[in-house]
């Protein structure tokens, strides 16, 4: 008999694995609507939708292994990283989805959110003031106008699966929409800066590295408190806090 494995669980959503089936339980059905819609439109391999009975979405497992894990060295080859870059480029070159996306879109909106979160990080004592201040300065480069692309929106390294040098699946599309291409690239390489060159070989476009690195700081600053409050450990070696420290 297959066991039920909890992949992730917190107050907003939970994902369970039973054999080769993933069950996603989400209190926000708009996120599931986006996930199903994005997988139908994305020009890259995605999980098969088996069935949907709100609040549950059942997805088939994809072949292969994750490109890597945050906090661990990636065992994937340079060719696998290049293949991931090519897949992301296909997504970014695809027609825009009809919905705007759940991620923040306006530079002023992002700046206000970032400033409020930086103040909270310091006031609560989660991070030292000098670390927050220096990363807020680095993050400034991300606060600019950008041309929207079809973006995944949460392209973490363990959301891309490969077999050899083939991308076999990209998972977790609930944040997909019209977004900043460099945000996707920064999310995928967070904590794996040494693999950025391999990724860009496949992506095949000029990338403003200052902006990409700025997104690393933005993700860390906006994510640390949420991660702590939801039972994750951003202070683990190689994770978000170490990324913030590497920016200064």
């Amino acid at each position: 008999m297959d066991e039920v494995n909890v992949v992730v669980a917190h107050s907003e959503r939970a994902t369970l694995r039973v054999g080769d089936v993933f069950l996603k339980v989400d209190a926000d059905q708009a996120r599931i609507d986006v996930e199903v819609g994005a997988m139908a439109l994305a020009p890259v391999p995605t999980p098969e939708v088996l069935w949907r009975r709100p609040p549950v979405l059942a997805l088939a497992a994809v072949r292969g292994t994750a490109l890597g894990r945050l906090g661990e060295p990636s065992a994937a080859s340079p060719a696998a990283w290049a293949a991931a870059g090519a897949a992301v480029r296909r997504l970014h070159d695809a027609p825009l989805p009809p919905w705007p996306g759940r991620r923040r879109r306006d530079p002023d909106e992002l700046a206000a959110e970032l400033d409020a979160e930086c103040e909270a990080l310091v006031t609560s004592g989660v991070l030292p003031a000098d670390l927050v201040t220096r990363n807020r300065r680095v993050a400034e480069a991300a606060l600019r106008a950008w041309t929207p692309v079809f973006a995944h929106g949460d392209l973490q390294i363990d959301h891309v699966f490969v077999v050899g040098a083939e991308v076999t699946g990209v998972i977790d599309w609930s944040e997909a929409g019209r977004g900043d291409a460099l945000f996707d690239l920064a999310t995928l390489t967070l904590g794996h800066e040494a693999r950025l060159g391999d990724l860009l070989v496949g992506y095949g476009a000029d990338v403003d590295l200052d902006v990409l690195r700025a997104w690393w700081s933005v993700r860390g600053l906006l994510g640390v408190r949420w991660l702590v409050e939801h039972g994750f450990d951003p202070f683990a070696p190689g994770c978000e806090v170490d990324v913030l420290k590497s920016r200064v």
Side-chain angles (χ1 to χ4, degrees), residues 65-223:
T65 57
L67 192 63
R69 305 283 179 191
L70 184 61
E72 302 175 7
S74 170
S77 68
W81 276 90
V88 177
R89 182 61 185 269
R90 288 197 302 274
L91 176 66
H92 290 171
D93 285 345
L96 293 173
W99 61 90
R102 299 171 59 88
R103 290 288 181 181
R104 54 197 70 79
R105 297 177 295 279
D106 181 87
D108 292 336
E109 177 187 355
L110 175 58
E113 181 181 2
L114 194 56
D115 288 339
E117 187 62 26
C118 287
E119 182 178 356
L121 285 167
V122 175
T123 302
S124 63
V126 174
L127 292 177
D130 60 338
L131 182 62
V132 172
T133 299
R134 292 174 187 174
N135 273 276
R136 176 60 183 85
R137 190 177 302 122
V138 172
E140 189 68 24
L143 308 180
R144 87 284 181 231
W146 40 267
T147 301
V149 300
F150 189 162
H152 182 280
D154 191 25
L155 196 62
Q156 299 179 50
I157 188 172
D158 56 357
H159 290 170
V160 178
F161 283 73
V162 295
V163 172
E166 174 193 3
V167 173
T168 54
V170 181
I171 67 172
D172 284 1
W173 292 82
S174 62
E175 303 294 334
R178 303 177 187 182
D180 183 353
L182 295 188
F183 179 80
D184 270 356
L185 295 177
T187 302
L188 185 54
T189 54
L190 185 75
H192 291 83
E193 183 171 357
R195 309 308 295 269
L196 177 59
D198 296 329
L199 182 78
L200 295 181
V201 167
Y203 192 73
D206 291 333
V207 169
D208 188 327
L209 296 180
D210 287 338
V211 174
L212 190 150
R213 293 176 179 125
W215 275 121
W216 287 335
S217 289
V218 172
R219 276 198 65 97
L221 292 171
L222 293 181

